[in-house]
Amino acid sequence: QPCPPYKQFMEYRSSKSKERQSFNFGRKGRFKPKERKHVQINVGLMVPHETDGADLKPLRGKTLPLFADPEVAAPDLLKQAVHKMRTFNKDVHEGPHVLLCPDCSEVIHVPGSERTFKLAEYKQETGKANSRIPFFIFLEKHYKRS
């Protein structure tokens, strides 16, 4: 016949075992709502080339990281980029800006398709890591001229 301390220990052990099992939610764990992670992209300034003014080139040293939602559309990304640039660079001119790809084309659609621009789709098309994706802002009045 087991002694009383052994019996108490076995009861304690079985109660702890049940308690531990109540915290086990299997391999995938408890369902958690999917959190959107912000991804880092780079935003810079584009300036006219000094020689003729028709070509555009990125301004060195004026690139900043920008954390954005992967499902962000082009107008919202432009607003975030302009806000960040004006915050850190006081020499950014006032006025409406356009968002440009590295090839100096305006960001409206995902390049090579007619789908509206989403950052996640652009990343998938280019195959680059998010931190290697650059965008540039440029004054709209100068862009329409060139």
Side-chain angles (χ1 to χ4, degrees):
Q1 175 167 4
C3 62
Y6 180 73
K7 200 176 208 181
Q8 287 175 346
F9 170 71
M10 292 307 281
E11 289 172 3
Y12 173 76
R13 185 173 155 193
S14 66
S15 70
K16 282 297 183 181
S17 175
K18 287 178 185 173
E19 187 180 319
R20 275 190 225 101
Q21 286 176 357
S22 71
F23 289 118
N24 186 5
F25 294 106
R27 194 174 58 136
K28 293 191 177 189
R30 179 183 279 178
F31 175 75
K32 295 179 184 173
K34 205 172 191 181
E35 293 179 16
R36 287 192 185 178
K37 293 183 177 177
H38 283 12
V39 295
Q40 176 187 341
I41 60 170
N42 293 314
V43 177
L45 287 175
M46 194 71 84
V47 294
H49 202 271
E50 288 96 21
T51 56
D52 55 0
D55 293 334
L56 301 177
K57 69 173 188 172
L59 188 61
R60 290 185 57 173
K62 296 288 184 178
T63 304
L64 294 172
L66 177 67
F67 291 94
D69 183 26
E71 296 299 315
V72 71
D76 298 327
L77 188 61
L78 175 62
K79 286 178 192 172
Q80 292 175 11
V82 169
H83 177 71
K84 177 110 183 198
M85 278 298 187
R86 284 196 179 137
T87 303
F88 287 95
N89 296 317
K90 299 301 179 194
D91 58 345
V92 175
H93 298 291
E94 292 291 325
H97 289 80
V98 291
L99 190 66
L100 302 177
C101 287
D103 64 351
C104 298
S105 62
E106 189 173 358
V107 176
I108 299 171
H109 300 288
V110 176
S113 72
E114 291 301 313
R115 296 188 313 257
T116 57
F117 180 85
K118 295 268 188 237
L119 189 57
E121 292 179 14
Y122 182 78
K123 178 203 179 300
Q124 188 176 9
E125 289 291 324
T126 58
K128 292 182 177 181
N130 284 314
S131 61
R132 306 283 297 162
I133 296 177
F135 289 106
F136 300 95
I137 60 172
F138 189 64
L139 278 174
E140 188 175 7
K141 62 182 178 182
H142 297 307
Y143 183 73
K144 298 297 181 193
R145 239 190 288 155
S146 58

